[in-house]
Structure formats: structure tokens, C-alpha cells
Amino acid sequence: MQHVRKPGWFTVNVMNRAVAYLTRRGFSVWGSRVLAVRGRKSGEWRTTPVNVLSLDGERYLVAPRGHVQWTHNMRAAGGGRLLLGKKVEEFTATEVTGDDKSPILRGYLKRWKAEVGVFFDGVGPDSSEEELRAIAPKHPVFRIRQAGGVGGAHKDGGE
């Protein structure tokens, strides 16, 4: 069984809604975007707030809560949309696997440990490579690139 940490009532009904509300109106909260990805069964657009990590010229989506629904949908769809206000960015996604995830997880934890650290079982940005590799299978990571674009550069230099 894959690792999943379901959000509590407060997260779903207050925090996620507040971040999504602000992000939909063009206010990025620490790099937040609203992720839209097609449901793998329904084909309907599904949305959730996410943090986009920029690292070494590439951009990534990390699932701090594990193998949640958006990660399954992303694998099936191969991409989606990032929304910030009226701006819509179409992107393709490739899942990052193996040891390539460690520096991405470290970068993600450096940026958002206060927000998501509780989901990483005590592993933080200063943890050893061995500790990061141990938790890596629990946290899907996707490299995202603008659809039709080259490399990881974002046209407006955003997060």
C-alpha cells in the first residue's frame, strides 16, 4: 500500500480553501499555484493548491502528503495546468525517481519545512542523503515544463 497522509478538516476546509482563494485571485502564497489536472477516471478537471519548487533551472511539484489523488491523476494525464489569478500555464510532467529525488526533496524542505515538515517523518533539509533516500518513495516528485517550451525556464521568471 502506498503512503498517503490525508489532510484534516482544518486543512481541507480552511487552509486549502484560503490558499486556493488567494491564488485564484493572483496572490501567490510562498510560490503557491492552483494545480488543475484531469481525473484519470472521470476526465473532469480536479484542482488543489500546490507549491512549485524552482531548483537549478527546473521546476518541480512535490507531494508532501504522499501518493494522493493528484499524483495518480498526474501520472495518467502526463501534465496539467498551473493557475495564478487569470494566468493559466499548461505544462507537461515527468515523474522523478530514485536517487534523483533527494536534492529536490532537500530543496523543497528548505523552502517549506515550516509548512509541510510534519509529513516527512522528522527528515528535514539538513538530514543525511541516506535519510532523504529512505523517505523518497513516500513522496512523488514531478518535473514540470511549460507545454511546448524548452527546459524548465518559466517565461515570467516565477516560482
Side-chain angles (χ1 to χ4, degrees):
M1 186 171 200
Q2 291 181 323
H3 172 78
V4 175
R5 281 235 174 119
K6 293 194 178 211
W9 183 91
F10 184 79
T11 299
V12 171
N13 294 294
V14 178
M15 292 304 295
N16 281 0
R17 287 183 183 188
V19 170
Y21 175 85
L22 290 170
T23 303
R24 283 189 184 107
R25 278 145 189 81
F27 299 100
S28 177
V29 181
W30 283 80
S32 66
R33 300 290 187 272
V34 172
L35 169 66
V37 63
R38 291 224 183 246
R40 64 195 178 283
K41 296 176 184 173
S42 69
E44 301 285 326
W45 285 103
R46 304 295 182 193
T47 60
T48 191
V50 294
N51 293 321
V52 180
L53 174 67
S54 294
L55 183 69
D56 298 329
E58 296 282 358
R59 294 187 311 147
Y60 301 93
L61 294 176
V62 175
R65 292 180 177 273
H67 296 266
V68 293
Q69 293 300 316
W70 75 258
T71 65
H72 299 293
N73 292 337
M74 186 69 69
R75 287 181 190 112
R81 297 175 177 165
L82 291 173
L83 313 172
L84 179 61
K86 293 181 180 180
K87 181 180 174 186
V88 177
E89 178 191 353
E90 301 262 346
F91 68 88
T92 60
T94 305
E95 190 160 8
V96 178
T97 59
D99 290 345
D100 293 341
K101 289 169 74 170
S102 293
I104 300 162
L105 291 173
R106 186 181 304 283
Y108 190 82
L109 287 164
K110 277 183 184 174
R111 173 90 173 165
W112 290 290
K113 183 180 181 201
E115 181 182 338
V116 300
V118 67
F119 308 121
F120 288 86
D121 300 324
V123 174
D126 299 322
S127 295
S128 70
E129 285 298 312
E130 183 178 305
E131 290 170 311
L132 285 163
R133 281 194 298 269
I135 63 154
K138 295 179 178 181
H139 303 282
V141 174
F142 296 88
R143 178 179 294 109
I144 61 172
R145 293 190 171 142
Q146 262 186 303
V150 177
H154 189 255
K155 68 182 174 189
D156 69 357
E159 309 260 343

